[in-house]
Amino acid sequence: MLITKESFADIFSNQPDIDAVPHNGTNPPYVGMGNPNSSLLVVGNEKALNKEDDQPIINHELLNNWNHWYDILNNHNDLIDPFNIELMNRPVSMNGFNPFNPLLFAPTLERVQGIGGHTYYGLQRLINAYENEGPITGLFETSFANNTFSKCFMTEMSANPSRTTKKAGFNSADFFTSSRYCFMTGIAASFYQGFKTTILYCGRNRKYVGNPDSEERLKIIRIFNPKLEHEHRRIVVFGEKNIEYYDTDNGARVILCRHLSNGFGNADAKAVANCMKFKLTL
């Protein structure tokens, strides 16, 4: 089977009528991309896309994200390889795209390949820093087991795309009353809370994660681990990097770090990877 995590399949089986699912406008909910079976969840601000230049990407990654996973679970989950060409050759609205790896879509590949400061390259550095005793992964590996996206699942805090955080205008008050928050803490809660580690790579931006010891901060980190309290906040130093995280003996470790794009170098990747491995002492 391609997808074995029951909490992921339950999102779709519990809501067969897509119109009944809380969503933005007329669009189905955004779930994410990558490997739903993985133990690592990475969460960004919002998709750095705009309608003028990126509509084909938006159509697949965001507007049809629910439909892609629903179709795979219901019509293709008996396959073994997530990179099976059958997934790229589905009906017209899904043709040419595979949510297990967004870079299999030609327009996205063109946008990303060779742009070393892109978020996906930062993700690759992070995964390889964590897997330093295992196989080195690559964004463009044709084998799923050796592909960076096989090691994690990616989603965003906001389902509203914007090229820049400034233009996005995200604020927590609106977010906590939004359909996005309702979805993440409602029918998708078990899935988002089921990872071993969650990395909020919007974690240096207080607009997205609130201030330490604030009610906003607590509500954000509890999306991913409802057992967390303010007292579970820790800061560890790896080299010259301070990493802020929340952990208890129950549920996901939630790590807050800077964005994975420009400036997220090997030292940052190693520090976050070390925090993922850091032994908790209560």
Side-chain angles (χ1 to χ4, degrees):
M1 293 176 64
L2 294 179
I3 299 171
T4 57
K5 189 175 285 187
E6 291 185 7
S7 61
F8 186 77
D10 285 347
I11 297 173
F12 302 87
S13 63
N14 287 342
Q15 290 285 351
D17 180 2
I18 206 166
D19 292 329
V21 182
H23 56 273
N24 293 327
T26 60
N27 304 323
Y30 172 68
V31 186
M33 301 182 296
N35 184 3
N37 302 321
S38 67
S39 61
L40 171 63
L41 176 66
V42 289
V43 184
N45 303 355
E46 59 274 312
K47 290 186 177 297
L49 303 168
N50 64 47
K51 293 181 179 180
E52 291 76 18
D53 303 318
D54 306 306
Q55 194 59 53
I57 300 174
I58 291 173
N59 287 343
H60 281 295
E61 290 195 7
L62 187 62
L63 305 186
N64 278 326
N65 180 254
W66 174 283
N67 297 333
H68 276 294
W69 288 120
Y70 186 91
D71 177 66
I72 288 172
L73 280 162
N74 285 277
N75 299 314
H76 305 279
N77 207 33
D78 58 338
L79 297 176
I80 297 174
D81 181 10
F83 283 0
N84 190 305
I85 193 63
E86 181 178 321
L87 298 184
M88 296 288 285
N89 294 327
R90 291 175 295 141
V92 175
S93 63
M94 292 172 275
N95 189 260
F97 188 86
N98 180 346
F100 281 102
N101 180 354
L103 291 179
L104 294 175
F105 186 51
T108 309
L109 177 64
E110 184 178 353
R111 275 280 307 274
V112 173
Q113 196 165 28
I115 311 299
H118 194 280
T119 296
Y120 289 160
Y121 282 97
L123 177 66
Q124 177 181 267
R125 283 189 285 275
L126 172 59
I127 295 296
N128 287 338
Y130 181 72
E131 301 272 342
N132 63 341
E133 296 180 0
I136 299 299
T137 72
L139 295 173
F140 313 107
E141 286 288 340
T142 56
S143 163
F144 182 69
N146 295 325
N147 192 280
T148 301
F149 292 102
S150 73
K151 307 298 182 181
C152 65
F153 191 81
M154 302 184 72
T155 194
E156 314 289 340
M157 290 293 291
S158 172
N160 299 318
S162 175
R163 274 290 179 90
T164 67
T165 297
K166 183 177 181 180
K167 289 183 178 180
F170 182 94
N171 71 78
S172 58
D174 289 342
F175 175 69
F176 293 136
T177 60
S178 70
S179 56
R180 177 68 176 154
Y181 181 74
C182 178
F183 173 69
M184 297 181 80
T185 58
I187 65 171
S190 292
F191 174 65
Y192 289 128
Q193 293 168 10
F195 291 83
K196 177 182 178 182
T197 305
T198 294
I199 297 175
L200 304 184
Y201 65 92
C202 53
R204 296 284 186 175
N205 191 322
R206 299 302 193 225
K207 288 184 178 180
Y208 289 84
V209 298
N211 293 314
D213 299 321
S214 68
E215 183 63 23
E216 289 82 4
R217 172 66 63 85
L218 208 56
K219 290 181 74 171
I220 291 295
I221 61 176
R222 282 179 174 174
I223 295 173
F224 311 102
N225 183 347
K227 304 295 196 311
L228 293 176
E229 303 286 352
H230 289 307
E231 65 195 55
H232 297 136
R233 177 176 179 261
R234 293 170 174 79
I235 296 178
V236 293
V237 180
F238 296 104
E240 298 180 351
K241 305 293 182 178
N242 294 343
I243 303 297
E244 181 181 12
Y245 75 99
Y246 291 78
D247 202 0
T248 180
D249 59 354
N250 193 351
R253 173 175 293 184
V254 178
I255 300 171
L256 280 61
C257 76
R258 54 148 293 155
H259 202 280
L260 305 182
S261 58
N262 289 323
F264 186 83
N266 291 328
D268 296 281
K270 185 175 181 180
V272 177
N274 283 339
C275 187
M276 294 166 67
K277 302 175 184 179
F278 190 69
K279 184 174 177 60
L280 174 66
T281 302
L282 295 174

